[in-house]
Amino acid sequence: MEYDFKAIEAKWRQHWKNNGTYAVAEDAGKEKYYVLDMFPYPSGAGLHVGHPLGYIASDVIARYKRQQGFNVLHPQGYDSFGLPAEQYAIQTGQHPAITTERNIARYRQQLDLLGFSYDWTREVRTSDPDYYRWTQWIFARLFEHGYDRTMDKARPIAALVSAFAEQGNAASDWVCGEDTLGEAATALWGEDFNGTFTADQWNGLDGAGRSAILMAYRLAYLADSEVNWCPALGTVLANDEVVGGRSERGGHPVVRKKMRQWMMRITAYADRLLSGLDGIDWSDSIKEVQRNWIGKSTGAQLRFEIEGHPGSGIEVFSTRPDTLHGANFLVLAPEHELVADITTEGQREAVEAYVQETASRSERERMAGDRGMTGCATGAHALHPLTGAPMPIWIADYVLAGYGTGAVMAVPAGDQRDWEFAQAFGLEVPPIFEGHDISEGACGDKDAILCNSGEWNGMRCSDVLPRAIEESTRAGFARPRVNFRLRDAVFSRQRYWGEPFPICYVDGVPTLIEDEQVLLPEVDAYLPTEDGDPPLARAEKWNVRRGDRMEFNTMPGWAGSSWYFLRYMDPHNGDALCDRSKSDYWGQVDLYIGGAEHGTGHLLYSRFWTKFLHDLGIIGFDEPFAKMINQGMILGRSSFVYRIEGTNTFVTFEQRKEHRTQRLHVDISMVRNDTLDTDAFRSWRPEFADAEFILNEEGRYRCGSEVEKMSKSKYNVENPDDLVERFGADTLRCYEMFLGPLEQAKPWDTQGINGVHGFLRKLTRLYLGSDGADLVTDNPPSAEAERTLHKTIKKVTEDLDRLSWNTVVSALMIGVNELTEMGCHDRAILQPLAAILSPYAPHLAEELWSRSGGQGSVVDAPWPTWDSAKLVESEVRYPVQFNGKVRFQFEVAADLSPEEVENAVLADARTGKQLDGRAPRKVIVVPGRIINIVG
RNA sequence: GCGGGCGUGGUGGAAUUGGUAGACACGCCAGAUUUAGGAUCUGGUGCCGAAAGGUGUGGGGGUUCGAGCCCCUCCGCCCGCACCA
């Protein structure tokens, strides 16, 4: 066998392992290149062919860059804290660490088969205490820091404490949770707290009081937030785990409950997270997802006085204060704090019923559904700040409590939702736009011309807007305001298998534990306690060793994955999360490859933590991933059989409509070319043992098929191990790259792999005879063979530079086809060919490199360069322009310089045949293969 | 509804800067060969047509000597967000 892939791959896999080929170290004399995969969660199911796609792509680039002389950092690790291992533990009692260890071993085994050039000495695992120690350390720094708006960076809370001691909180402009501050201050100093406190007030506080105040400023803080609590399950549920007021799993009742949770003040970084997007090379769509999620809007906060309630007012946020003259009522979220105060006696019953009704639905549910407008008048009125006209105050669930101030000024002529609300409740729609018919709907056009708007009549909205903000501010009822949709992230989970917080409570005050690492304790069960405390509360000895008690929550999955790319640079450092000299050398990730599904999770949180660590001077850059490619999903091709209802008889695809049939997924391993192996099917499951088949005219059972997501339950999963067994890792690598553009979703087609396998076999035959004898000669290569080689080097190099993985395989195939046709066995051709093959088929490339006399490992073989002089084609046709019109096609040898082309054209064209009988004076050869002739 | 992207043979896709559309591969067809395989080799394969020729990148229009690519418009598909004031 001339291409014995099993022997070749085993041989070189062992060789690389023995030689530690892929270990890298900092080298000041070499330019670095950092190429990173999103590390996997090691699930029990193992890999299917979709998982390695991105890993192969990054490995190709890592190998290519390495051969180009870069010092390449290409690590891999495991995001090993997570829910599946914990659920398995709840069911079986097996410790998640054991499950995780086993799954990692399986992953490693599968990854090793594929020939990746990872430096495994740098492996990280988020569940490793030596790793999560630093995750806890970052949390501690976040706890100890706040965000100073003046300096636009994170600063130690200690600096704020000094400022408070001297000037209270009036002089410093730090990001502050106003609700948290308000609650704490009210508890300490009484109801009339107006947002500021003095140095005397501060200095008079005890430790608990100060702690409560400082919580409003910390980047990691404790706060009461409303969550979906399921008492039966003893845990908090995410909004999408709640359906119709009951838990999605089990159907237990869910209540909305305020719970004290750790939060991350990511909102402090909202502006920088937004502007930082401009400087990084990510896809437009994922940047757009992040922009949308951050949701910056600029406008004003306006205050409306309430009739009969002097001193209190309703604050609303609006991006369109230019439409203020069209505002004729206010709408509050049902949860708005003023609702109870302002509701009139006549409306109280109706309002309370409405509030009750909305409270029983989750926010998610309110947002979905039929969009029918609901609401209720409070009976109260606000006063229009310009005209003093009374404006009825309504409550409605289309206004969200969590956004802006939880209240809006309704401008039914300018906002579709307000318009619909006005229609539903028979409210007036004052027209404020010239030429706009308000019976049709609202007008959102910012270029519309205003009317009925006092001094602004006749002006364009977009021109009025800045003026409206300015004038309202001067009049004292408004101030400019920027609002973000982004909300602070809940950082607590009531789970076991996550990072424990380095926090204990001393007299109720949350306090950092920094003198020793807080390790995840052993527990006797992985469920919450009877009291509803998280599983960590079961670890009684662990719990009581500090303060009153330890923190029982653990950190969410995204904690460990927010900074792992840094740890690879210095994975064994026991004194720091990453030495500054190492992070300065390796710097940002140059190429990050992974799925697009993390747009608002991992990718946002790692940007946040990176900026924070940059503020602290831990690292010298503030964006983690300079360039990112999101690979598309590989879809499976499912096969179906058609059972006649109520029988055990199956008809083929062609006949399925002649009967009442039921479509069933069948395992694709039993199907070849859409034909079912009926014997295999009978023995697949007992219920099919006596299945009858009605075959088609060709005497075979033809299955139906469909492209859908790969999944166990659809029996359409292709396992990489099987394919490596049948075709080898090199074939699988090439084929996955050949499938199509990396970013696109594409169906898997196992039949297609034969073509790529044939290519590698054909390639091998250039070097080896069928008996395994060397065929490589030292004959001088023909010009033709050189042209093929240089053309291939050029194409492969250019395609890799623009990250076009799939076209590279085609280029290699074409080269091999041509060389095979020529019968080329020349060392001068085949050695460089092995070198450029290496990124895609590293095992075979090593074999062929050594067979063709290459020195050392092909992994370090310098990337060949192409010589344009060798790229001579016989003739090229140029379209020729004469006085602006293309008159004829001119053929010229392709290796001529522009000057030679010019002379050739002049010489020929002077006959004047194609040039209206005129002799040209000048010939201009321009790129794009067009020749301009000036008459 | 808003935002992002896409539309090319039977299939996956190529065409990099506006310059011979369909490279490369699968599938299919025909032939060869054989120890009958999920093997190998050779040739063919966009569509219509016997051929000459015509036609062709979702539809229509435009710019250009020239459009898969640029502009306008309509249709269809995918992804993300979705009452964000």
Side-chain angles (χ1 to χ4, degrees), chain A residues 89 124 169 403 529 553 577 630 652 655 764 786 817 854 858 907:
Chain A
V124 302
N169 74 338
Y403 182 77
T529 65
N553 285 296
L577 67 87
N630 303 113
T652 67
Q655 299 151 340
T764 307
E786 284 192 316
N817 285 344
V858 75

Side-chain angles (χ1 to χ4, degrees), chain A residues 365-377:
Chain A
E365 229 179 320
R366 275 160 60 184
M367 287 191 242
D370 56 6
R371 298 291 144 81
M373 279 293 177
T374 61
C376 181

Side-chain angles (χ1 to χ4, degrees), chain A residues 233-302:
Chain A
L233 296 174
T235 186
V236 163
L237 297 174
N239 276 339
D240 56 301
E241 294 167 329
V242 182
V243 180
R246 286 174 173 267
S247 68
E248 189 185 15
R249 285 186 194 169
H252 306 291
V254 172
V255 294
R256 290 184 65 76
K257 180 179 168 185
K258 279 219 162 184
M259 279 181 70
R260 204 152 176 77
Q261 303 272 318
W262 284 101
M263 308 281 290
M264 281 287 158
R265 207 177 301 284
I266 188 173
T267 50
Y269 282 86
D271 250 322
R272 283 168 63 187
L273 289 168
L274 198 58
S275 60
L277 290 172
D278 297 335
I280 52 181
D281 187 2
W282 294 13
S283 72
D284 288 340
S285 68
I286 204 144
K287 282 190 185 183
E288 222 25 63
V289 164
Q290 292 211 343
R291 286 198 189 99
N292 197 313
W293 188 259
I294 296 167
K296 180 176 183 170
S297 36
T298 318
Q301 184 161 323
L302 301 97

Side-chain angles (χ1 to χ4, degrees), chain A residues 44 76 100 111 194 215 251 258 273 326 351-352 543 663 743 771 783 803 874 883 886 910:
Chain A
Q76 184 61 291
T100 302
L111 291 172
N194 67 354
M215 272 302 170
K258 279 219 162 184
L273 289 168
V351 164
E352 278 170 5
N543 180 25
R663 194 179 77 160
E743 294 95 323
D771 53 359
L803 300 179
S874 55
N883 292 347
V886 167
R910 277 191 211 284

Side-chain angles (χ1 to χ4, degrees), chain A residues 475-493:
Chain A
F477 62 86
R479 59 187 166 95
R481 169 148 177 194
V482 175
N483 216 14
F484 292 94
R485 206 177 72 114
L486 183 71
R487 298 187 204 174
D488 284 342
V490 181
F491 197 67
S492 314
R493 297 290 183 271

Side-chain angles (χ1 to χ4, degrees), chain A residues 302-306 309-315 330 336-338:
Chain A
L302 301 97
R303 184 181 172 86
F304 288 76
E305 301 301 330
I306 308 167
H309 289 75
S312 69
I314 293 172
E315 300 276 347
L330 297 185
H336 197 281
E337 55 176 2
L338 287 177

Side-chain angles (χ1 to χ4, degrees), chain A residues 498-521:
Chain A
E499 299 88 349
F501 283 79
I503 288 280
C504 64
Y505 293 85
V506 179
D507 298 328
V509 176
T511 308
L512 279 179
I513 301 174
E514 295 242 69
D515 53 345
E516 64 170 328
Q517 185 182 2
V518 174
L519 292 166
L520 192 60

Side-chain angles (χ1 to χ4, degrees), chain A residues 384-603:
Chain A
H384 196 285
L386 297 176
T387 64
M391 304 166 68
I393 303 171
W394 288 69
I395 60 173
D397 66 3
Y398 82 89
V399 176
L400 304 174
Y403 182 77
T405 61
V408 302
M409 66 175 201
V411 183
D415 183 286
Q416 190 59 28
R417 292 155 302 171
D418 297 342
W419 185 87
E420 280 166 21
F421 191 79
Q423 295 295 311
F425 292 96
L427 296 159
E428 219 185 306
V429 183
I432 51 165
F433 301 108
E434 264 177 28
H436 175 71
D437 179 5
I438 46 127
S439 65
E440 295 285 308
C443 168
D445 186 0
K446 284 185 176 170
D447 290 330
I449 305 296
L450 288 166
C451 63
N452 297 326
S453 291
E455 290 175 29
W456 303 334
N457 282 344
M459 293 176 66
R460 190 192 304 269
C461 293
S462 54
D463 296 333
V464 171
L465 183 60
R467 196 176 143 179
I469 296 175
E470 197 194 310
E471 288 176 12
S472 314
T473 304
R474 210 176 317 129
F477 62 86
R479 59 187 166 95
R481 169 148 177 194
V482 175
N483 216 14
F484 292 94
R485 206 177 72 114
L486 183 71
R487 298 187 204 174
D488 284 342
V490 181
F491 197 67
S492 314
R493 297 290 183 271
Q494 293 74 44
R495 314 260 190 227
Y496 173 74
W497 192 231
E499 299 88 349
F501 283 79
I503 288 280
C504 64
Y505 293 85
V506 179
D507 298 328
V509 176
T511 308
L512 279 179
I513 301 174
E514 295 242 69
D515 53 345
E516 64 170 328
Q517 185 182 2
V518 174
L519 292 166
L520 192 60
E522 296 297 321
V523 292
D524 52 15
Y526 303 97
L527 283 168
T529 65
E530 318 249 306
D531 303 334
D533 280 327
L536 289 196
R538 294 175 177 274
E540 286 170 18
K541 271 178 144 173
W542 174 84
N543 180 25
V544 297
R545 65 186 175 156
R546 294 288 185 105
D548 321 327
R549 67 167 179 89
M550 300 290 287
E551 169 65 52
F552 296 144
N553 285 296
T554 54
M555 300 186 197
W558 55 266
S561 60
S562 292
W563 70 281
Y564 75 110
F565 67 96
L566 282 173
R567 191 60 178 175
Y568 286 133
M569 300 175 188
D570 195 5
H572 310 296
N573 193 333
D575 301 320
L577 67 87
C578 175
D579 191 88
R580 178 66 194 259
S581 68
K582 300 210 169 166
S583 65
D584 279 350
Y585 177 75
W586 293 113
Q588 287 174 296
V589 175
D590 294 285
L591 180 64
Y592 194 36
I593 295 184
E597 67 273 19
H598 303 290
T600 55
H602 161 63
L603 292 170

